[in-house]
Structures are given as structure tokens and as C-alpha cells.
Amino acid sequence: MSNSDTETSDQLTHREEQLALEVRALRAEVERMNNHRFIRLHDSLYKLGLFQLYRGLAFGLGSVLGATILVSWLIYMLGSIDFIPVLGDWANQIIDEIQVLPPEQ
């Protein structure tokens, strides 16, 4: 066996070892990903449905709270611009309409 044949077989052995290490690392990552809570949560239709229900409730609550905060801020800002002639009158009309209680039935 010549010197170049030994180097080639050593290079192949080194490449095979590197490939084996990479495959082991890949398997470890796939196992870690399969054990992740997000993946385990979606392995059952019941768990997925419950998760989506909670997600929808949280989204709805966040939307309502966000809209409430935004509207109250807008009304506050409209109430503070009464010194501008045209906008102040318009803002006062809007505030008056909001504050009017609906008639009792």
C-alpha cells in the first residue's frame, strides 16, 4: 500500500467519523424537537381543540380590552380639544351622544 492510499483511507475514515457525529447531533435535535411542548400539544385532536379554544378566548379578551382602552383614550383626547372652534364643537357633540342614556323600555 502506498503513502497516498493511506492518506485517502485516513481522509475517508475522518469524513465517516464527521458524518456519524453530524447524524448523532441531528438525531438529538429531532428528539429534542419531538419532546417540545408545542409538538406534544398538537399530537391529539382534543388537545389541539382545547388549545385553539384558549387561544381564541385570549384573542377576544385582548381585542375587547384594547378597543376599550383605545376608545376611552380617544374620548379623553376629544374632550380636551374643545378650545379649537370647529373640532371642539364636533367633539362636544360626540361626547354628548356617547353620554346620552338609551330610553327605558
Side-chain angles (χ1 to χ4, degrees):
M1 212 159 142
S2 69
N3 194 15
S4 65
D5 290 338
T6 307
E7 287 180 20
T8 305
S9 66
D10 287 343
Q11 287 176 348
L12 285 175
T13 304
H14 180 69
R15 286 184 189 165
E16 289 172 354
E17 288 173 3
Q18 289 290 70
L19 183 60
L21 285 173
E22 290 293 324
V23 168
R24 272 183 279 199
L26 184 60
R27 283 184 179 174
E29 284 297 316
V30 168
E31 182 178 352
R32 190 174 138 250
M33 192 172 84
N34 282 336
N35 290 330
H36 195 273
R37 185 178 65 89
F38 182 78
I39 300 297
R40 285 186 288 134
L41 184 68
H42 290 83
D43 68 348
S44 162
L45 190 58
Y46 174 75
K47 289 180 189 177
L48 179 63
L50 200 57
F51 174 75
Q52 293 296 336
L53 175 69
Y54 290 149
R55 184 174 164 235
L57 288 172
F59 179 78
L61 180 64
S63 298
V64 168
L65 288 176
T68 302
I69 291 170
L70 183 65
V71 168
S72 65
W73 178 79
L74 183 65
I75 290 172
Y76 174 77
M77 295 306 291
L78 284 174
S80 67
I81 61 169
D82 58 351
F83 61 89
I84 300 173
V86 175
L87 290 179
D89 294 338
W90 181 68
N92 285 332
Q93 287 176 357
I94 290 175
I95 291 171
D96 290 341
E97 286 295 322
I98 290 173
Q99 290 177 348
V100 171
L101 293 175
E104 293 291 324
Q105 294 182 8

